[in-house]
Amino acid sequence: MIYSFRNSGFRDPETGVYNQTYFMEVFNREWHRHIREHQSLALLYLCPHIHETVKQPHLLEFFTKQVQEALLRATDMIARLDHNHFALGLFNIDEVGTEVVLKRIEQQISDFNQNFGKNHKLTIDYKLAACICLPTQENKIESLFSNVSQLSQDLEKNHDQSQALIRLQ
């Protein structure tokens, strides 16, 4: 991969998706715009489980590109939070729309596992936590991140469920 100075400030070098700093800046700006315009938004945490013995240097990059294909709107974004977690921001979306995106992500990961897995003998398990809310002065952005983080942790403990959607009241 050729290093691009043009993208160096806001892209994760390993995956090519946005970095945490840029994501937080955009999400905060969108939060305040959604308060003014009375629109709902959703925050998703995606935690792919890639076993550390898998020695595929571009596996995470291929995986995130596949997930990005599920985000059909230019305003939706994905960012890498840390080594094992990605955040997705879905703006001006309702609960039904969020469920559609969750299904598309699930399908893209399934396609990835089917196509990549048959060539490399592996599958990627994942957890996907989503929270939708209507931002208000009373609803704090920290509450949204806290709720999604807690839901993600709960999913990690539940081996039977790979994704969940809640609404922040």
Side-chain angles (χ1 to χ4, degrees), residues 119-134:
N119 296 331
H120 297 89
K121 308 286 189 276
L122 69 99
T123 60
I124 294 180
D125 188 25
Y126 70 97
K127 299 294 182 180
L128 183 59
C131 184
I132 186 167
C133 78
L134 179 64

Side-chain angles (χ1 to χ4, degrees), residues 43-45 47 81 85 129-131 142-156 166:
L43 175 65
L44 290 68
Y45 276 7
C47 307
L81 296 181
H85 296 89
C131 184
E142 295 83 8
S143 298
L144 178 63
F145 279 87
S146 176
N147 276 285
V148 173
S149 180
Q150 183 60 51
L151 181 59
S152 181
Q153 290 172 12
D154 293 346
L155 280 173
E156 289 292 330
I166 59 171

Side-chain angles (χ1 to χ4, degrees), residues 2 10 41-42 49 53 58 92 95 97 113-114 133 152 167:
I2 298 173
F10 58 91
L41 55 74
H49 299 124
T53 61
H58 297 288
N92 191 18
E95 196 165 337
N113 280 332
Q114 189 173 28
C133 78
S152 181
R167 176 173 277 285

Side-chain angles (χ1 to χ4, degrees), residues 22-126:
Y22 183 76
F23 180 84
M24 294 305 219
E25 288 173 9
V26 171
F27 201 91
N28 186 54
R29 185 173 58 239
E30 288 297 316
W31 177 270
H32 291 287
R33 184 178 69 79
H34 282 64
I35 289 174
R36 288 190 309 273
E37 296 180 7
H38 305 288
Q39 297 172 333
S40 58
L41 55 74
L43 175 65
L44 290 68
Y45 276 7
L46 173 63
C47 307
H49 299 124
I50 300 173
H51 197 271
E52 59 272 358
T53 61
V54 176
K55 301 294 184 219
Q56 295 292 326
H58 297 288
L59 179 63
L60 206 51
E61 182 181 8
F62 296 146
F63 178 79
T64 54
K65 284 190 187 320
Q66 193 81 22
V67 171
Q68 277 183 304
E69 289 181 16
L71 304 178
L72 301 178
R73 300 179 312 161
T75 57
D76 296 340
M77 62 187 306
I78 180 172
R80 189 172 191 182
L81 296 181
D82 59 31
H83 187 67
N84 297 319
H85 296 89
F86 293 86
L88 292 87
L90 309 177
F91 306 109
N92 191 18
I93 195 164
D94 60 9
E95 196 165 337
V96 173
T98 304
E99 288 174 356
V100 167
V101 173
L102 288 172
K103 286 184 176 103
R104 282 199 313 253
I105 292 171
E106 180 180 41
Q107 184 60 50
Q108 289 295 105
I109 293 173
S110 175
D111 292 349
F112 176 84
N113 280 332
Q114 189 173 28
N115 296 333
F116 196 83
K118 70 180 173 189
N119 296 331
H120 297 89
K121 308 286 189 276
L122 69 99
T123 60
I124 294 180
D125 188 25
Y126 70 97

Side-chain angles (χ1 to χ4, degrees), residues 7 17 48 89-90 97-98 137:
N7 293 332
V17 300
L90 309 177
T98 304
Q137 295 297 341

